[in-house]
Amino acid sequence: MKSGETPSIKVRPGVVLRELILETRKVTVTDAARALQVTRKYLSELLNAHTGLTADMAFRLSRVFGTTPEIWLMLQLEYELSKVSEKLEGVQFEQIR
C-alpha cells in the first residue's frame, strides 16, 4: 500500500462464508461443519468472527464449496492488513537505509 493511502475495511472470510455461501445455498452450520470435517463450534467461531481463517480451513472450504484456497486466504489477508493499517495510521516509522 502506498504511503497516505487509506484502505477500506475488508470483511472477514467467515462473514463471506455465512452470507454468500451458507445462506444462499441454505446450508446449516451443522451440515457445513460435517462436510468440512471440523467441529460445529469451530465453524461457528469462524462464521461469527471469533477466529481467523487458517490455510487448513481455506483448503477445506475450497474442496467443499468449489472455490480455491487462495480466495479464502486473500480475504483473510486483506482483512488483517486493513485492520493493521487502521491501527497504525499516523504512526511514523523510521526507514533503515
Side-chain angles (χ1 to χ4, degrees), residues 19-36:
E19 294 180 3
L20 296 182
I21 295 184
L22 299 184
E23 289 178 2
T24 59
R25 296 182 186 190
K26 299 189 183 344
V27 177
T28 67
V29 175
T30 301
D31 288 342
R34 188 176 301 119
L36 293 163

Side-chain angles (χ1 to χ4, degrees), residues 30-74:
T30 301
D31 288 342
R34 188 176 301 119
L36 293 163
Q37 298 181 28
V38 297
T39 66
R40 187 186 187 292
K41 181 179 188 250
Y42 172 75
L43 184 55
S44 180
E45 289 174 352
L46 180 65
L47 295 173
N48 293 303
H50 296 298
T51 191
L53 184 89
T54 63
D56 177 86
M57 189 61 169
F59 186 82
R60 291 169 188 264
L61 289 167
S62 72
R63 290 297 175 103
V64 171
F65 295 111
T67 61
T68 66
E70 293 83 4
I71 288 171
W72 296 104
L73 291 172
M74 188 58 70

